[in-house]
Amino acid sequence: MRVLVQPQRFDAAQLLQGFGAGAGAVVTFTGLVRGEDGLVALDIEHYPGMTEKALRAHAEAAAARFGLSDVLVVHRHGHLAVGEPIMMVATAARHRRAAFDAADFLMDWLKSRAPFWKREIGPEGPGDWVAARDDDEDALARW
Amino acid sequence: MTLEILYFAWLRERIGAPRESVETSAATVADLVAELVARDDRHAAALSDMRAIRVAVDQELSGLDSPLAGAREVAFFPPMTGG
């Protein structure tokens, strides 16, 4: 299991080298800063200490629940331009269903329970803080 | 007891500081919020709608009725927007 919280870009290929060796299925998901009208970048704030602890606890919960042989969570913070990768999860399991479900589960949790806060940066500078979405909360209730 | 209070995102901006140390005898998070709100207008405005605010006690998500006995760090922040 590996959990990384960092401002730097990550190299997905390098992180996935040897990941899930011996598993039958590896699923990866990467989230990017979505290009939207007037959006230049996102500033992502986090809670140092709690973030790492919460991510690790949840990665462990996903591993136990879905019988994963390995799990990786990388989440960036700081100033991220449109198109840059924000985060990645990777899950390894014997079969694809568990790997897909575990990645989905991790993503739903990250959206509304991981201590990160996004702020929109426009051409004129800092704009609004991104509001939490009800459908993200609903998605979490599925599990 | 001395508690380290942390604020994130728009709460940090409204309070005007990322953290502060407070001397308190609050038994629960709700007691602490009442003490902070009574301090000054900035705290009162920032913490006026606790339905829009999440709390962590010693880095664990908690509720308004969570006890503070033995706690060292309490954080207030808006609903998270990770992923």
Side-chain angles (χ1 to χ4, degrees):
Chain A
M1 187 183 89
R2 197 163 176 202
V3 170
L4 298 169
V5 179
Q6 61 183 48
Q8 302 89 350
R9 269 179 182 268
F10 52 85
D11 181 342
Q14 192 200 335
L15 287 172
L16 291 170
Q17 226 164 44
F19 179 85
V26 168
V27 165
T28 71
F29 172 86
T30 305
L32 311 177
V33 180
R34 188 174 24 249
E36 295 191 46
D37 269 357
L39 186 74
V40 172
L42 289 177
D43 269 357
I44 303 182
E45 185 170 327
H46 77 120
Y47 184 169
M50 179 174 173
T51 311
E52 292 81 355
K53 225 161 70 174
L55 260 52
R56 202 166 296 122
H58 208 71
E60 275 167 13
R65 177 166 175 170
F66 298 96
L68 303 179
S69 57
D70 207 351
V71 54
L72 165 75
V73 181
V74 191
H75 203 302
R76 296 175 66 196
H77 57 88
H79 188 83
L80 278 66
V82 165
E84 281 194 53
I86 301 177
M87 49 74 55
M88 178 173 81
V89 299
T91 56
R94 285 189 64 75
H95 300 284
R96 76 174 187 283
R97 181 57 57 205
F100 272 116
D101 285 352
D104 208 11
F105 169 78
L106 277 166
M107 284 311 306
D108 282 344
W109 179 84
L110 280 167
K111 281 278 173 198
S112 50
R113 290 292 183 277
F116 292 96
W117 300 275
K118 296 187 181 120
R119 175 179 228 170
E120 295 173 344
I121 308 297
E124 311 295 323
D128 293 334
W129 290 94
V130 174
R133 295 159 52 104
D134 286 343
D135 49 355
D136 285 337
E137 197 59 37
D138 294 345
L140 193 59
R142 292 190 296 148
W143 308 100
Chain B
M1 64 183 158
T2 306
L3 278 180
E4 204 59 22
I5 315 288
L6 278 65
Y7 304 100
F8 291 96
W10 56 255
L11 260 157
R12 172 176 52 72
E13 295 178 330
R14 288 187 199 174
I15 296 286
R19 61 198 304 150
E20 58 185 335
S21 287
V22 301
E23 197 54 45
T24 177
S25 53
T28 65
V29 171
D31 294 345
L32 175 66
V33 169
E35 281 183 17
L36 292 170
V37 163
R39 280 190 152 200
D40 56 45
D41 289 348
R42 264 186 320 171
H43 286 81
L47 300 168
S48 62
D49 183 7
M50 286 304 294
R51 285 169 309 176
I53 295 174
R54 303 288 176 267
V55 187
V57 176
D58 288 336
Q59 306 191 351
E60 298 280 346
L61 277 179
S62 303
L64 282 173
D65 54 356
S66 297
L68 292 179
R72 292 163 55 181
E73 183 174 297
V74 177
F76 295 100
F77 41 79
M80 296 86 121
T81 51

